[in-house]
Amino acid sequence: MKFNLAKYIIPSVISMVLIGTYTTIDGLFIGDASGDAGLAAVNFAWPIVAFITSVGTGIGVGGAIVINHLRGKEEIAAAETAKCAALKLLVIAGVVVTMLTILTYSPLLIVMGAKVETLVYAQEYSRVISFGALFQIMGSGLLVLLRNEGKTVRAMLYTVVGLAVHIALDALLVQRYILRGVAISTVISQLVVAVLCAASFRLPRKEDALKTSGADILSSSLAPFGLNFVPSAVLLFTNYFAMRSGGTEMVSAYAVMSYAVYFYDYLCQGVCDGIQPVVSYTHGARDSLQKKKTLFTAALVLAVASCGFVALTPVLVNNMPKIFSVSTETENYIRRGFVIYAASYPLKAMVKLVCAYYYSIKKLWVSNILTYLDPLLFTPLSLMLASSFAWQDGIWLSLPLSQAAVMLVFLPIFMMQRRNQI
């Protein structure tokens, strides 16, 4: 079976970039309505949002891996069973995560370092996000599964509709309700996406999907979940060290920078999500040639994107502080931070591609090691070491250092896997 890679990669990249646009647009409204305190509050609350959407994306990608691997082996009935399992798991995860975040969002924000006015804003935002977790998980997971069905353009169009709803609600609600209004827009727009996606699925009858396929999907979901959540897990540690080094202004600077960096992250993740159905299918079908071509194409696209974002650094430095209406002190942090962060772009792209490739071919131990070493070890260690000898600049320097460390760990693994890698 031949795949038109553009059919998968282009809509996936556009969809992920549009999802990244959600946060940027929110930041514009928040900066205008509440300034540094509001921007910092969202940065503190963002790991909660990211956890919710990463659960949905993780289950969606995990399901897609299993489904297309089975299709590649021409086990069509089993693939349909796996699709049912993935849909059931999304519903179950939505209910569980909703209950979990409702109970824990407030103490989590305190632990993550939110204080005074920033804490009040973050609690308002997180309360609404937590009650709407089911819709966010369903929306993010169903989009992935819909792309895996080959309905890539349809998934992209649903993302456009969700973005339009989100912008319209931001315009109506943010000036009056501040961060609560942003959270309402997020939940409602994801509900719209979830309903549109759910209407596009046809399910087989009489399949005990969860019993036969659920465990395989969950194990395949760990690395995709981590790859989507890692930037926000990194955010936890960076917020702590930024608050300690430069206070609310430095956390606000990191928030503004994150809007641009997340845009890049979403672009890279779009490429990885785009190749996943092809790599999983060709691995199941033992089509090594097409798998190699797919991997090479993705590497080339990510290399071009990395160079493009590095080249955009002067534009971001000069314009982002003005666009987000930040204070002078926050602007100074942003100017230094963007230049240092630029070194991390190609490293981040390589890490994402390597992880995505390995979970797509179900070598889960490799992808899990590379995914979770960063937030659990390298980021905290880099922040401690870099901030001790470079103080405030060390906060920004920690990102390229941690990504370089992940790639150094990958080298011996790559050498071990060399014979069977492709």
Side-chain angles (χ1 to χ4, degrees), residues 71-309:
R71 286 173 178 167
K73 295 194 292 184
E74 299 185 356
E75 297 178 16
I76 306 304
E80 290 301 297
T81 299
K83 182 165 68 174
C84 287
L87 293 172
K88 288 185 178 181
L89 282 171
L90 283 172
V91 175
I92 293 169
V95 173
V96 171
V97 171
T98 298
M99 294 168 57
L100 179 66
T101 52
I102 287 171
L103 293 172
T104 61
Y105 76 85
S106 189
L108 279 175
L109 290 170
I110 295 170
V111 169
M112 289 188 288
K115 298 176 181 178
V116 197
E117 184 182 10
T118 299
L119 177 61
V120 173
Y121 277 138
Q123 286 174 327
E124 289 179 0
Y125 180 77
S126 300
R127 185 178 302 115
V128 177
I129 290 293
S130 298
F131 276 95
L134 171 63
F135 307 136
Q136 296 166 82
I137 286 174
M138 294 299 297
S140 56
L142 288 173
L143 275 175
V144 174
L145 290 171
L146 194 62
R147 286 198 296 268
N148 191 66
E149 294 295 292
K151 298 176 181 178
T152 54
V153 175
R154 189 177 301 186
M156 180 185 71
L157 291 175
Y158 292 165
T159 306
V160 172
V161 172
L163 178 61
V165 171
H166 191 91
I167 294 171
L169 289 173
D170 269 354
L172 288 172
L173 299 174
V174 174
Q175 282 297 328
R176 182 172 180 180
Y177 298 106
I178 317 296
L179 267 71
R180 196 184 315 151
V182 172
I184 291 169
S185 338
T186 300
V187 171
I188 292 177
S189 63
Q190 286 300 301
L191 172 61
V192 170
V193 171
V195 170
L196 291 172
C197 289
S200 300
F201 281 96
R202 291 183 181 180
L203 299 178
R205 298 177 183 177
K206 299 179 181 179
E207 294 284 355
D208 191 1
L210 188 58
K211 191 173 183 179
T212 57
S213 302
D216 197 12
I217 291 172
L218 287 176
S219 63
S220 298
S221 298
L222 286 176
F225 163 80
L227 203 60
N228 281 274
F229 183 63
V230 158
S232 297
V234 168
L235 194 73
L236 291 173
F237 298 106
T238 310
N239 276 339
Y240 172 79
F241 280 92
M243 179 64 82
R244 191 181 72 169
S245 300
T248 300
E249 289 78 13
M250 195 167 192
V251 176
S252 177
Y254 183 45
V256 171
M257 290 163 56
S258 294
Y259 290 123
V261 174
Y262 278 145
F263 191 87
Y264 174 74
D265 287 339
Y266 281 122
L267 189 155
C268 292
Q269 194 60 48
V271 174
C272 295
D273 288 349
I275 66 166
Q276 176 272 310
V278 181
V279 172
S280 296
Y281 183 94
T282 53
H283 182 69
R286 299 183 182 275
D287 185 351
S288 296
L289 180 60
Q290 185 153 353
K291 192 161 55 170
K292 286 181 182 179
K293 289 180 178 178
T294 302
L295 193 59
F296 175 79
T297 301
L300 183 62
V301 171
L302 290 176
V304 171
S306 299
C307 292
F309 263 78

Side-chain angles (χ1 to χ4, degrees), residues 231-245 250 254 341 374-375 377-403:
S232 297
V234 168
L235 194 73
L236 291 173
F237 298 106
T238 310
N239 276 339
Y240 172 79
F241 280 92
M243 179 64 82
R244 191 181 72 169
S245 300
M250 195 167 192
Y254 183 45
Y341 259 27
D374 184 16
L377 177 62
F378 291 139
T379 288
L381 191 59
S382 297
L383 281 164
M384 284 189 288
L385 293 176
S387 63
S388 65
F389 70 79
W391 192 228
Q392 292 174 340
D393 285 347
I395 305 300
W396 317 133
L397 187 60
S398 65
L399 182 59
L401 286 176
S402 63
Q403 297 300 294

